[in-house]
Amino acid sequence: MPKMLLYYFLATVVLAATSTAQPDLDNPLNKNFNKLHLLRRQGSFGGNSNGAWCSSWQYGVETNNIIGWKTVPEKCELYVARYMLGERYGEDSKVVTKEAYLYAQSHTLSDDGKDVWLFDVDDTAVSNLPYYATNGFGVKPYDPESFHQWILSEAAPALPKSLKLYKNLKTLGFKIIFLTGRRENERSAIESNLKVAGYHTWELVLLKDDDYSGTTADFKAEQRKNLEDAGYRIVGNIGDQWTDLLGTNAGHRTFKLPNPLYYAA
């Protein structure tokens, strides 16, 4: 089955199986479809009686009260799929990026060009939703090899709200630095994907060395310290994981995008 047809089928089935979900046409997966045909109502919110529980589980995840989890609970697969494909995910992201831009507007830039804004890559700048749509929406255990192949495909679309924030920050005069837990051996694919997605220029793209064995949280804290030691001022920092935002030298303000698909340590 062709990839786009498969994505269309998955999204149609998920939305048809939920009660009131409306497709978000800004969603990086939905935007590839001419129209999503909603079938007749089947089941209740999030799938039978699990909707309320899964909503509370997601709240715990987004507030960093639930940590160290390996996969989305199986009974929440439909709930997570509906959230990611529906309008709520886009609206939640819009709230975050709007606040980030309002804060950026309130900041007076220095004249030395050292005011920077950090962006994570995965599910912050670009979306891995097409990958997760074919891999159980986070229910299946993480497979590093298949995800590596997904990165090399350079097919991750921009998250529309993040791309808009990026463009607005560039207009204001901020330098953009991408800080990601991806590896140096993926640099060419990452930078190519960013450009295709609309992120055409940046100050730096910081990646883990191929033999780096520490946690992503430690790596990002180390890199942020290095940036500040080099004279950069981290005015803002946006990411979808708490590992993007916690630890030392996190920035003047941090902004957390929603992501119930996976947990990064």
Side-chain angles (χ1 to χ4, degrees), residues 183-220:
R183 302 278 176 172
E184 277 289 347
N185 62 22
E186 298 165 330
R187 177 176 290 276
S188 177
I190 293 166
E191 294 186 350
S192 176
N193 195 164
L194 285 170
K195 290 178 180 178
V196 169
Y199 301 92
H200 297 138
T201 61
W202 50 74
E203 182 78 355
L204 296 166
V205 176
L206 301 175
L207 307 170
K208 288 180 181 176
D209 290 336
D210 294 339
D211 59 354
Y212 185 86
S213 59
T215 66
T216 297
D218 287 343
F219 168 74
K220 293 198 170 187

Tab-separated table of all heavy atoms in Angstrom, residues 183-220:
chain	number	residue	atom	x	y	z
A	183	ARG	N	22.129	11.984	16.430
A	183	ARG	CA	23.569	11.734	16.363
A	183	ARG	C	24.240	12.425	15.175
A	183	ARG	O	23.611	12.735	14.178
A	183	ARG	CB	23.820	10.226	16.265
A	183	ARG	CG	23.236	9.426	17.427
A	183	ARG	CD	24.129	9.432	18.631
A	183	ARG	NE	23.531	8.743	19.781
A	183	ARG	CZ	24.182	8.484	20.910
A	183	ARG	NH1	25.458	8.851	21.031
A	183	ARG	NH2	23.580	7.883	21.908
A	184	GLU	N	25.564	12.602	15.309
A	184	GLU	CA	26.344	13.238	14.256
A	184	GLU	C	26.249	12.486	12.928
A	184	GLU	O	26.288	13.096	11.866
A	184	GLU	CB	27.809	13.353	14.676
A	184	GLU	CG	28.117	14.546	15.549
A	184	GLU	CD	28.049	15.873	14.795
A	184	GLU	OE1	28.001	15.855	13.549
A	184	GLU	OE2	28.039	16.923	15.452
A	185	ASN	N	26.140	11.147	12.975
A	185	ASN	CA	26.076	10.401	11.722
A	185	ASN	C	24.765	10.631	10.969
A	185	ASN	O	24.599	10.145	9.846
A	185	ASN	CB	26.300	8.901	11.948
A	185	ASN	CG	25.248	8.244	12.840
A	185	ASN	OD1	24.138	8.750	12.991
A	185	ASN	ND2	25.594	7.118	13.426
A	186	GLU	N	23.848	11.393	11.592
A	186	GLU	CA	22.584	11.734	10.947
A	186	GLU	C	22.525	13.203	10.520
A	186	GLU	O	21.499	13.674	10.048
A	186	GLU	CB	21.416	11.434	11.906
A	186	GLU	CG	21.308	9.967	12.285
A	186	GLU	CD	20.412	9.707	13.492
A	186	GLU	OE1	20.319	10.589	14.377
A	186	GLU	OE2	19.829	8.614	13.567
A	187	ARG	N	23.637	13.924	10.680
A	187	ARG	CA	23.639	15.379	10.466
A	187	ARG	C	23.149	15.761	9.076
A	187	ARG	O	22.317	16.660	8.921
A	187	ARG	CB	25.025	15.967	10.713
A	187	ARG	CG	25.108	17.466	10.431
A	187	ARG	CD	26.461	18.065	10.759
A	187	ARG	NE	26.705	18.101	12.188
A	187	ARG	CZ	26.277	19.070	12.993
A	187	ARG	NH1	25.548	20.081	12.494
A	187	ARG	NH2	26.564	19.049	14.274
A	188	SER	N	23.670	15.128	8.053
A	188	SER	CA	23.305	15.506	6.694
A	188	SER	C	21.801	15.392	6.480
A	188	SER	O	21.167	16.299	5.923
A	188	SER	CB	24.051	14.621	5.684
A	188	SER	OG	23.658	14.937	4.362
A	189	ALA	N	21.218	14.274	6.922
A	189	ALA	CA	19.779	14.078	6.757
A	189	ALA	C	18.986	15.079	7.586
A	189	ALA	O	17.960	15.605	7.138
A	189	ALA	CB	19.398	12.642	7.154
A	190	ILE	N	19.457	15.367	8.795
A	190	ILE	CA	18.758	16.296	9.681
A	190	ILE	C	18.736	17.701	9.078
A	190	ILE	O	17.681	18.341	8.991
A	190	ILE	CB	19.420	16.320	11.072
A	190	ILE	CG1	19.227	14.978	11.783
A	190	ILE	CG2	18.874	17.469	11.918
A	190	ILE	CD1	20.115	14.794	12.994
A	191	GLU	N	19.884	18.173	8.653
A	191	GLU	CA	19.953	19.529	8.114
A	191	GLU	C	19.179	19.650	6.809
A	191	GLU	O	18.515	20.661	6.555
A	191	GLU	CB	21.414	19.938	7.943
A	191	GLU	CG	22.143	20.068	9.275
A	191	GLU	CD	23.560	20.603	9.139
A	191	GLU	OE1	24.056	20.691	7.995
A	191	GLU	OE2	24.166	20.939	10.178
A	192	SER	N	19.232	18.623	5.993
A	192	SER	CA	18.454	18.627	4.754
A	192	SER	C	16.962	18.644	5.051
A	192	SER	O	16.194	19.398	4.438
A	192	SER	CB	18.808	17.407	3.908
A	192	SER	OG	18.002	17.350	2.745
A	193	ASN	N	16.530	17.824	6.010
A	193	ASN	CA	15.127	17.772	6.384
A	193	ASN	C	14.649	19.111	6.939
A	193	ASN	O	13.552	19.592	6.604
A	193	ASN	CB	14.908	16.662	7.412
A	193	ASN	CG	13.458	16.272	7.611
A	193	ASN	OD1	13.158	15.223	8.177
A	193	ASN	ND2	12.524	17.089	7.159
A	194	LEU	N	15.475	19.746	7.773
A	194	LEU	CA	15.100	21.043	8.322
A	194	LEU	C	14.887	22.069	7.216
A	194	LEU	O	13.903	22.819	7.229
A	194	LEU	CB	16.176	21.534	9.291
A	194	LEU	CG	16.231	20.863	10.665
A	194	LEU	CD1	17.487	21.285	11.420
A	194	LEU	CD2	14.989	21.194	11.492
A	195	LYS	N	15.775	22.085	6.245
A	195	LYS	CA	15.647	23.051	5.159
A	195	LYS	C	14.406	22.786	4.316
A	195	LYS	O	13.667	23.720	3.962
A	195	LYS	CB	16.907	23.018	4.288
A	195	LYS	CG	18.132	23.602	4.983
A	195	LYS	CD	19.365	23.515	4.098
A	195	LYS	CE	20.583	24.098	4.812
A	195	LYS	NZ	21.817	23.981	4.002
A	196	VAL	N	14.167	21.522	3.993
A	196	VAL	CA	12.973	21.170	3.209
A	196	VAL	C	11.703	21.549	3.965
A	196	VAL	O	10.715	21.992	3.372
A	196	VAL	CB	12.981	19.666	2.868
A	196	VAL	CG1	11.632	19.240	2.290
A	196	VAL	CG2	14.100	19.354	1.885
A	197	ALA	N	11.737	21.394	5.293
A	197	ALA	CA	10.564	21.698	6.117
A	197	ALA	C	10.327	23.194	6.287
A	197	ALA	O	9.271	23.598	6.767
A	197	ALA	CB	10.705	21.036	7.490
A	198	GLY	N	11.308	24.021	5.914
A	198	GLY	CA	11.111	25.466	5.994
A	198	GLY	C	12.046	26.196	6.940
A	198	GLY	O	11.999	27.427	7.035
A	199	TYR	N	12.909	25.451	7.644
A	199	TYR	CA	13.877	26.062	8.562
A	199	TYR	C	15.177	26.277	7.774
A	199	TYR	O	16.080	25.442	7.795
A	199	TYR	CB	14.113	25.159	9.764
A	199	TYR	CG	12.861	24.868	10.561
A	199	TYR	CD1	12.083	23.749	10.282
A	199	TYR	CD2	12.454	25.717	11.586
A	199	TYR	CE1	10.936	23.472	11.008
A	199	TYR	CE2	11.305	25.453	12.319
A	199	TYR	CZ	10.546	24.328	12.027
A	199	TYR	OH	9.407	24.061	12.746
A	200	HIS	N	15.284	27.383	7.104
A	200	HIS	CA	16.326	27.550	6.098
A	200	HIS	C	17.672	27.991	6.654
A	200	HIS	O	18.714	27.696	6.065
A	200	HIS	CB	15.853	28.550	5.032
A	200	HIS	CG	14.655	28.074	4.277
A	200	HIS	ND1	13.592	28.904	3.954
A	200	HIS	CD2	14.329	26.858	3.789
A	200	HIS	CE1	12.672	28.218	3.294
A	200	HIS	NE2	13.093	26.974	3.188
A	201	THR	N	17.673	28.702	7.764
A	201	THR	CA	18.936	29.193	8.321
A	201	THR	C	18.941	29.015	9.831
A	201	THR	O	17.883	28.975	10.472
A	201	THR	CB	19.159	30.686	7.992
A	201	THR	OG1	18.091	31.467	8.571
A	201	THR	CG2	19.189	30.912	6.490
A	202	TRP	N	20.148	28.940	10.370
A	202	TRP	CA	20.319	28.788	11.813
A	202	TRP	C	21.730	29.178	12.196
A	202	TRP	O	22.618	29.325	11.352
A	202	TRP	CB	20.035	27.346	12.236
A	202	TRP	CG	20.766	26.324	11.412
A	202	TRP	CD1	22.093	26.012	11.461
A	202	TRP	CD2	20.202	25.503	10.384
A	202	TRP	NE1	22.402	25.041	10.542
A	202	TRP	CE2	21.256	24.696	9.867
A	202	TRP	CE3	18.917	25.348	9.854
A	202	TRP	CZ2	21.055	23.773	8.849
A	202	TRP	CZ3	18.719	24.424	8.840
A	202	TRP	CH2	19.769	23.646	8.341
A	203	GLU	N	21.945	29.329	13.489
A	203	GLU	CA	23.272	29.619	14.004
A	203	GLU	C	24.077	28.336	14.153
A	203	GLU	O	25.227	28.256	13.716
A	203	GLU	CB	23.157	30.339	15.362
A	203	GLU	CG	24.473	30.748	15.996
A	203	GLU	CD	25.063	32.015	15.372
A	203	GLU	OE1	24.500	32.531	14.389
A	203	GLU	OE2	26.098	32.476	15.877
A	204	LEU	N	23.469	27.325	14.785
A	204	LEU	CA	24.124	26.044	15.027
A	204	LEU	C	23.093	24.922	15.028
A	204	LEU	O	21.916	25.139	15.366
A	204	LEU	CB	24.834	26.044	16.385
A	204	LEU	CG	26.004	27.003	16.618
A	204	LEU	CD1	26.317	27.074	18.113
A	204	LEU	CD2	27.223	26.565	15.828
A	205	VAL	N	23.542	23.727	14.676
A	205	VAL	CA	22.786	22.496	14.919
A	205	VAL	C	23.686	21.615	15.779
A	205	VAL	O	24.758	21.181	15.336
A	205	VAL	CB	22.414	21.763	13.620
A	205	VAL	CG1	21.719	20.433	13.942
A	205	VAL	CG2	21.505	22.630	12.754
A	206	LEU	N	23.281	21.380	17.020
A	206	LEU	CA	24.098	20.644	17.978
A	206	LEU	C	23.572	19.221	18.125
A	206	LEU	O	22.404	19.012	18.466
A	206	LEU	CB	24.093	21.354	19.326
A	206	LEU	CG	24.622	22.794	19.310
A	206	LEU	CD1	24.453	23.445	20.677
A	206	LEU	CD2	26.086	22.827	18.881
A	207	LEU	N	24.452	18.243	17.880
A	207	LEU	CA	24.106	16.825	17.894
A	207	LEU	C	25.028	16.058	18.835
A	207	LEU	O	26.159	16.478	19.090
A	207	LEU	CB	24.229	16.233	16.487
A	207	LEU	CG	23.496	16.939	15.354
A	207	LEU	CD1	23.926	16.369	14.018
A	207	LEU	CD2	21.992	16.786	15.530
A	208	LYS	N	24.562	14.912	19.289
A	208	LYS	CA	25.418	14.028	20.073
A	208	LYS	C	26.504	13.424	19.184
A	208	LYS	O	26.249	13.071	18.029
A	208	LYS	CB	24.600	12.870	20.658
A	208	LYS	CG	23.649	13.217	21.780
A	208	LYS	CD	22.932	11.946	22.225
A	208	LYS	CE	21.931	12.219	23.335
A	208	LYS	NZ	21.174	11.000	23.703
A	209	ASP	N	27.709	13.296	19.740
A	209	ASP	CA	28.715	12.482	19.074
A	209	ASP	C	28.198	11.050	18.972
A	209	ASP	O	27.414	10.594	19.818
A	209	ASP	CB	30.036	12.493	19.845
A	209	ASP	CG	30.739	13.841	19.770
A	209	ASP	OD1	30.485	14.590	18.796
A	209	ASP	OD2	31.519	14.141	20.692
A	210	ASP	N	28.655	10.333	17.972
A	210	ASP	CA	28.154	8.981	17.751
A	210	ASP	C	28.434	8.050	18.929
A	210	ASP	O	27.684	7.100	19.169
A	210	ASP	CB	28.769	8.383	16.475
A	210	ASP	CG	28.314	9.113	15.230
A	210	ASP	OD1	27.269	9.787	15.282
A	210	ASP	OD2	29.005	9.013	14.195
A	211	ASP	N	29.508	8.323	19.669
A	211	ASP	CA	29.872	7.457	20.797
A	211	ASP	C	29.432	8.027	22.145
A	211	ASP	O	29.839	7.517	23.201
A	211	ASP	CB	31.376	7.187	20.802
A	211	ASP	CG	32.208	8.465	20.912
A	211	ASP	OD1	31.614	9.566	20.871
A	211	ASP	OD2	33.440	8.354	21.036
A	212	TYR	N	28.603	9.078	22.122
A	212	TYR	CA	28.151	9.669	23.390
A	212	TYR	C	27.274	8.660	24.127
A	212	TYR	O	26.323	8.103	23.556
A	212	TYR	CB	27.364	10.945	23.130
A	212	TYR	CG	26.957	11.679	24.388
A	212	TYR	CD1	27.824	12.581	24.989
A	212	TYR	CD2	25.727	11.456	24.997
A	212	TYR	CE1	27.475	13.257	26.154
A	212	TYR	CE2	25.365	12.123	26.155
A	212	TYR	CZ	26.238	13.018	26.732
A	212	TYR	OH	25.885	13.679	27.889
A	213	SER	N	27.558	8.409	25.405
A	213	SER	CA	26.844	7.378	26.163
A	213	SER	C	25.993	7.929	27.295
A	213	SER	O	25.322	7.166	27.992
A	213	SER	CB	27.844	6.361	26.733
A	213	SER	OG	28.789	7.009	27.585
A	214	GLY	N	26.021	9.234	27.502
A	214	GLY	CA	25.233	9.828	28.577
A	214	GLY	C	23.779	9.990	28.202
A	214	GLY	O	23.346	9.631	27.095
A	215	THR	N	22.991	10.530	29.113
A	215	THR	CA	21.576	10.744	28.848
A	215	THR	C	21.380	11.986	27.984
A	215	THR	O	22.257	12.856	27.901
A	215	THR	CB	20.786	10.931	30.150
A	215	THR	OG1	21.208	12.155	30.777
A	215	THR	CG2	21.003	9.760	31.102
A	216	THR	N	20.232	12.058	27.352
A	216	THR	CA	19.897	13.242	26.561
A	216	THR	C	19.822	14.475	27.449
A	216	THR	O	20.254	15.564	27.056
A	216	THR	CB	18.569	13.026	25.825
A	216	THR	OG1	18.723	11.933	24.912
A	216	THR	CG2	18.161	14.268	25.046
A	217	ALA	N	19.278	14.306	28.653
A	217	ALA	CA	19.179	15.434	29.577
A	217	ALA	C	20.568	15.987	29.913
A	217	ALA	O	20.785	17.208	29.912
A	217	ALA	CB	18.456	15.012	30.854
A	218	ASP	N	21.517	15.107	30.188
A	218	ASP	CA	22.883	15.549	30.503
A	218	ASP	C	23.530	16.213	29.294
A	218	ASP	O	24.197	17.251	29.419
A	218	ASP	CB	23.731	14.357	30.950
A	218	ASP	CG	23.358	13.873	32.344
A	218	ASP	OD1	22.691	14.630	33.075
A	218	ASP	OD2	23.742	12.739	32.690
A	219	PHE	N	23.330	15.616	28.121
A	219	PHE	CA	23.917	16.176	26.900
A	219	PHE	C	23.414	17.594	26.662
A	219	PHE	O	24.206	18.502	26.377
A	219	PHE	CB	23.569	15.290	25.703
A	219	PHE	CG	23.867	15.920	24.373
A	219	PHE	CD1	25.167	16.048	23.925
A	219	PHE	CD2	22.833	16.408	23.578
A	219	PHE	CE1	25.449	16.649	22.705
A	219	PHE	CE2	23.101	17.006	22.358
A	219	PHE	CZ	24.417	17.126	21.914
A	220	LYS	N	22.119	17.791	26.798
A	220	LYS	CA	21.575	19.114	26.501
A	220	LYS	C	22.011	20.144	27.538
A	220	LYS	O	22.291	21.304	27.194
A	220	LYS	CB	20.058	19.034	26.388
A	220	LYS	CG	19.622	18.225	25.171
A	220	LYS	CD	18.197	18.453	24.769
A	220	LYS	CE	17.912	17.800	23.423
A	220	LYS	NZ	16.586	18.116	22.890
